[in-house]
Amino acid sequence: MFCLLSCISRDAEYYYRSGRALRESGQPIEAMQAFSAATRCHTCEYAVKGRAYSNMATMCRIGERHDLAYALYEQSAIQFVDSKDMKAYAFALNNMAWEQAVLGNKEKAIQLADSALACCPDDLVRPKISESRAAACLYAEEYDSVLYYTQQMPLNSVYFDILRAQAFTFLGNNDSAIYYAKRVLQKTTNPRYLDDAYYILTHCDSTAAADDIRGLAAARSDIQHNLERNDPEWIIAIQMAEQALEAQNPKQKRIWFCGLIAIFILFGAILACWLYFRRKRINYVEQQCLQLKKSPNLREELHWNDYAQFIATCNARLNGIVDKLDKKGLSEREIRISVLILIGFTYAEMAEILFRAENGIGKDKYIIAKRLGVSVKELHKTLQTITCERYA
């Protein structure tokens, strides 16, 4: 068993490392396939699955799908909690904060960043949290706050330079914006950062020569062309990430599964209670019918011309059956015959009691069944059901 688990763990690690290699070599579709395979492995190496989810989220971030990136970073955070790696969990929370910042939810971004710092106040975590806070302020158009939070970041950070360049651009400080944009060009080959830096230089550097400006514009056009050329592959990769998230969301599956079980249990309990009380009421009706049928004075009373006493007795013992049948539009004679049918008399006994021919009783029984919308065979059971009904 241990060997099997070790083999499965190696598979997850293999898929994860393959995904990293494919991603670095510019193969987003194959990389996403490898990362998805790593998350599907039934392994106790939660940290490996957490890193796989994190890489999938980063790829979605590059593809500008920040809502999906947030959901995947959330899955990575769950895996890091299971692995008890609080530093990785803090980084996952911080990544979630960054995505919320881009989506324009500053308050939630700050809250997530504070949670990350609270669970792991590490020197490596603090600068990343400052990045998220600065990004939240940038998208909330609070540019002075961006400059404040970037002061808490390492000066050699590319993200420090791009954030300050963007903030100074919006504040109208072109000299500072140009300075930090040029630092970005010197430090990174990330096309997204380069695109922003070239844009800032093109629009802020009014002292640049015409040839320099044309060169900056051409460089930016090349970058945009490369990004657009890779877009179809990234779109497919992001679609694969979305499908993997829908299929591999254990939290959602547990909630749905538990909810369905709870609904079935509740439905079963309600059905059992209804059947129990219905059977109990039917048993009561059957007992009362038996007592009425065995009454020594019943036949003598029924030979009277006046049935009032008998009908009153039946109505009291059988939950107001007379009143219920009267509301259903049955005549007085049909009600009397219905009561005798419910008690369980045969055609011959009813004919003797009512001084009627058996054929006449049969015709009346057919008319009663038709009025109640049932067949003659179902009439007795229907009368039982009516007796068990509560008053409207």
Side-chain angles (χ1 to χ4, degrees):
M1 184 67 178
F2 176 76
C3 295
L4 178 61
L5 289 174
S6 300
C7 180
I8 294 172
S9 299
R10 283 198 299 272
D11 287 342
E13 184 76 24
Y14 167 78
Y15 286 128
Y16 166 69
R17 293 188 181 280
S18 299
R20 286 297 300 267
L22 290 165
R23 178 186 159 191
E24 291 171 3
S25 63
Q27 302 178 61
I29 297 175
E30 293 79 3
M32 192 66 77
Q33 287 175 334
F35 290 135
S36 299
T39 62
R40 289 195 300 270
C41 289
H42 298 286
T43 174
C44 295
E45 292 293 332
Y46 301 111
V48 176
K49 294 179 71 173
R51 291 196 296 272
Y53 275 121
S54 184
N55 276 269
M56 292 168 68
T58 302
M59 293 176 69
C60 292
R61 174 187 288 181
I62 294 171
E64 304 292 338
R65 277 296 306 274
H66 299 288
D67 55 337
L68 183 56
Y70 175 82
L72 288 163
Y73 279 129
E74 188 176 26
Q75 287 300 314
S76 73
I78 293 171
Q79 299 298 325
F80 290 135
V81 168
D82 292 339
S83 69
K84 298 181 174 56
D85 188 343
M86 298 312 294
K87 184 181 289 188
Y89 175 61
F91 279 118
L93 287 177
N94 184 65
N95 283 322
M96 291 165 63
W98 198 92
E99 298 304 329
Q100 288 297 318
V102 178
L103 291 169
N105 302 324
K106 179 192 170 187
E107 291 76 12
K108 191 169 183 179
I110 297 294
Q111 183 181 4
L112 285 166
D114 291 341
S115 299
L117 186 62
C119 73
C120 184
D122 190 274
D123 290 339
L124 294 175
V125 177
R126 290 179 184 275
K128 291 294 183 181
I129 290 172
S130 297
E131 286 183 8
S132 297
R133 288 171 172 166
C137 294
L138 179 69
Y139 288 100
E141 300 181 1
E142 299 174 6
Y143 306 117
D144 291 328
S145 299
V146 175
L147 299 178
Y148 168 76
Y149 283 120
T150 51
Q151 289 176 354
Q152 304 172 27
M153 295 163 55
L155 295 177
N156 61 348
S157 166
V158 176
Y159 201 52
F160 166 88
D161 293 327
I162 195 65
L163 282 171
R164 291 182 76 84
Q166 289 172 326
F168 279 124
T169 300
F170 288 115
L171 288 170
N173 188 338
N174 290 346
D175 292 338
S176 297
I178 292 167
Y179 170 75
Y180 286 107
K182 287 181 177 179
R183 282 168 58 103
V184 172
L185 296 180
Q186 295 169 0
K187 290 181 180 179
T188 185
T189 58
N190 187 315
R192 309 253 172 208
Y193 291 164
L194 292 176
D195 185 45
D196 289 337
Y198 281 129
Y199 177 84
I200 291 169
L201 289 172
T202 304
H203 287 78
C204 293
D205 195 355
S206 58
T207 62
D211 290 341
D212 293 335
I213 292 176
R214 279 196 293 269
L216 292 171
R220 183 164 185 256
S221 297
D222 290 340
I223 288 172
Q224 290 179 329
H225 176 70
N226 290 333
L227 290 173
E228 290 171 0
R229 185 181 62 189
N230 292 330
D231 269 353
E233 291 187 3
W234 281 99
I235 290 170
I236 295 172
I238 290 168
Q239 289 174 346
M240 292 169 60
E242 196 164 16
Q243 292 169 0
L245 181 64
E246 291 175 358
Q248 293 290 326
N249 193 335
K251 184 178 179 181
Q252 189 177 14
K253 283 183 178 180
R254 285 196 295 268
I255 292 172
W256 276 102
F257 183 68
C258 294
L260 286 173
I261 290 176
I263 290 171
F264 279 122
I265 291 174
L266 181 62
F267 177 76
I270 293 172
L271 182 61
C273 290
W274 180 79
L275 290 174
Y276 170 77
F277 286 110
R278 184 175 182 275
R279 184 68 253 174
K280 193 173 181 181
R281 288 196 296 270
I282 289 175
N283 288 340
Y284 171 79
V285 170
E286 290 174 346
Q287 291 172 5
Q288 295 302 313
C289 288
L290 187 61
Q291 291 178 8
L292 286 168
K293 190 173 183 180
K294 291 182 177 179
S295 173
N297 300 322
L298 178 59
R299 292 180 181 278
E300 182 180 347
E301 291 173 358
L302 285 178
H303 280 78
W304 297 348
N305 293 329
D306 185 10
Y307 287 86
Q309 185 178 354
F310 171 70
I311 292 296
T313 303
C314 291
N315 206 30
R317 289 193 181 185
L318 300 178
N319 300 328
I321 181 64
V322 174
D323 298 333
K324 293 174 182 176
L325 293 175
D326 182 56
K327 287 182 179 180
K328 292 185 180 292
L330 270 65
S331 66
E332 183 179 347
R333 186 181 69 180
E334 290 167 349
I335 290 173
R336 291 174 180 174
I337 295 174
S338 297
V339 170
L340 295 177
I341 293 170
L342 177 62
I343 291 174
F345 286 110
T346 64
Y347 278 20
E349 289 173 324
M350 285 189 281
E352 180 187 351
I353 292 169
L354 297 173
F355 299 104
R356 299 275 306 280
E358 290 188 29
N359 290 340
I361 299 295
K363 290 178 182 177
D364 288 332
K365 190 173 182 180
Y366 172 79
I367 292 171
I368 294 168
K370 190 174 181 180
R371 283 183 181 273
L372 296 178
V374 297
S375 65
V376 174
K377 290 183 179 180
E378 297 173 339
L379 182 57
H380 185 267
K381 186 176 180 180
T382 302
L383 291 171
Q384 278 189 330
T385 302
I386 294 171
T387 308
C388 294
E389 289 175 354
R390 297 184 181 276
Y391 282 106

